[in-house]
Amino acid sequence: MLNAKDTVDSLDQTVAMTLSTHLRSVADHAHLTATDAARSAGVSVHDERELPGFASIEALFSLVWGLPPREPPIPAELLRSISHAGCNVTAAYDSHGTLTGAAVAIVSPGDTSMYSLIAGVLPGTADRGVGFALKLHQRAWGLARGIPTMTWTFDPLVSRNARFNLTKLGAHAGEYEQDFYGPMHGAINANDDSDRLIAVWPLARQRSVDCSEARAEQPELPIFPVESVRSLGPDGDPAVIDDAGVWWCRVPEDIVRLRAQNPTLAAEWRRSIRSVFTELFAAGYVASGVTRSGWYRFVSGGQA
């Protein structure tokens, strides 16, 4: 006769086997969707393992982040070590053999999560789907190893990236880190505070599966009465909306350009967004999507 401990152990084993079977099934599907995404983007995506490839990735990242060649965000020798340690260095090449994008991720202790360090695509190719192909390859890589989650940081003011992360991929964010990296340089960051959101991407969740098949839900800002406006942005237009418990917050259309043209106004946006996001997160809300016009949607944590 089984005692209580044996029964619990048996249930734990059953749950673990069920989860493992589910992850294997999702992993097989993830490989197919990653292959389809690469084909649609016109690239070949693979795990980079050769030193010349790492050197090309270093140069690409320097170009993307507007840094001098001798000050790359991540050097080739470190990329080689990350790959050699069994972590992920993903590269995308077009039909001419030109590197068009790369992404790098390490694995947390216990293989419970992947942490994406950096990802970027060749300037001028952002609309081809190369970034999507890179992330789906990383997703398939993680699921094939039984890793259920990926996390990374991103600037909440860069609406294009935010929409890609939260709407296109199906990640969510419920944590705001002020000046996460300290002072940063280069054309992209322009000496702005390095505030970041923490993206959490449950790789096997149904929403992520739908997104991998290009069936992502597209959030749409509702038509709102004036009494739903909770605050204005630094530009004087409505920026925070409460629509029956679903909150919406607007960020600038192009913060990179605004930093270059009007750094004072850009800094005002940083302070404003920092205040709104930290208050909403503290109240239990989660950012679950971004509209094409740069409005974040916040829902209660259980709905993310």
Side-chain angles (χ1 to χ4, degrees), residues 5 32 43 49 72 75 83 109 145 157 177 184 190 213 235-236 244 258 263-264 295 300-301:
K5 181 179 184 304
L32 294 176
V43 294
R49 295 188 175 88
S83 174
R145 291 158 176 78
L157 288 181
E177 291 285 349
M184 298 183 72
E213 297 175 336
D235 57 2
L258 184 61
T264 300
W295 286 84
S300 60

Side-chain angles (χ1 to χ4, degrees), residues 85-258:
C87 295
N88 176 264
V89 179
T90 297
Y93 292 87
D94 66 14
S95 59
H96 302 292
T98 300
L99 180 69
T100 58
V104 183
I106 57 177
V107 179
S108 65
D111 293 348
T112 57
S113 178
M114 296 172 65
Y115 189 92
S116 179
L117 297 175
I118 190 170
V121 299
L122 189 68
T125 64
D127 294 328
R128 284 176 42 189
V130 177
F132 189 54
L134 287 168
K135 298 309 289 186
L136 289 196
H137 179 90
Q138 285 188 311
R139 174 174 177 264
W141 187 95
L143 287 169
R145 291 158 176 78
I147 300 171
T149 306
M150 180 186 293
T151 63
W152 63 91
T153 67
F154 68 96
D155 187 341
L157 288 181
V158 183
S159 61
R160 182 186 183 95
N161 289 350
R163 184 174 182 277
F164 177 79
N165 294 332
L166 305 187
T167 299
K168 182 78 171 177
L169 296 180
H172 60 268
E175 183 179 354
Y176 190 103
E177 291 285 349
Q178 182 174 337
D179 210 18
F180 185 73
Y181 296 107
M184 298 183 72
H185 308 286
I188 293 295
N189 295 289
N191 299 315
D192 190 7
D193 289 345
S194 58
D195 291 14
R196 293 294 183 265
L197 294 185
I198 311 302
V200 179
W201 193 19
L203 303 179
R205 192 174 63 171
Q206 186 58 49
R207 183 182 175 209
S208 299
V209 173
D210 292 342
C211 288
S212 75
E213 297 175 336
R215 293 188 291 112
E217 175 195 3
Q218 301 297 320
E220 295 293 340
L221 180 70
I223 298 174
F224 55 88
V226 66
E227 56 265 26
S228 294
V229 178
R230 294 293 175 263
S231 67
L232 304 179
D235 57 2
D237 291 331
V240 180
I241 307 297
D242 177 8
D243 179 52
V246 176
W247 288 73
W248 300 82
C249 181
R250 178 173 59 90
V251 296
E253 181 180 351
D254 188 344
I255 189 62
V256 176
R257 183 175 60 189
L258 184 61

Side-chain angles (χ1 to χ4, degrees), residues 173 245-248 280-281 284-289 297-304:
V246 176
W247 288 73
W248 300 82
L280 286 172
F281 289 156
Y285 285 87
V286 170
S288 65
R297 178 183 63 188
F298 289 85
V299 299
S300 60
Q303 297 175 293

Side-chain angles (χ1 to χ4, degrees), residues 32-57:
L32 294 176
T33 56
T35 300
D36 288 343
R39 183 182 303 113
S40 296
V43 294
S44 172
V45 182
H46 65 261
D47 300 335
E48 186 59 73
R49 295 188 175 88
E50 302 298 329
L51 190 57
F54 298 140
S56 296
I57 293 172

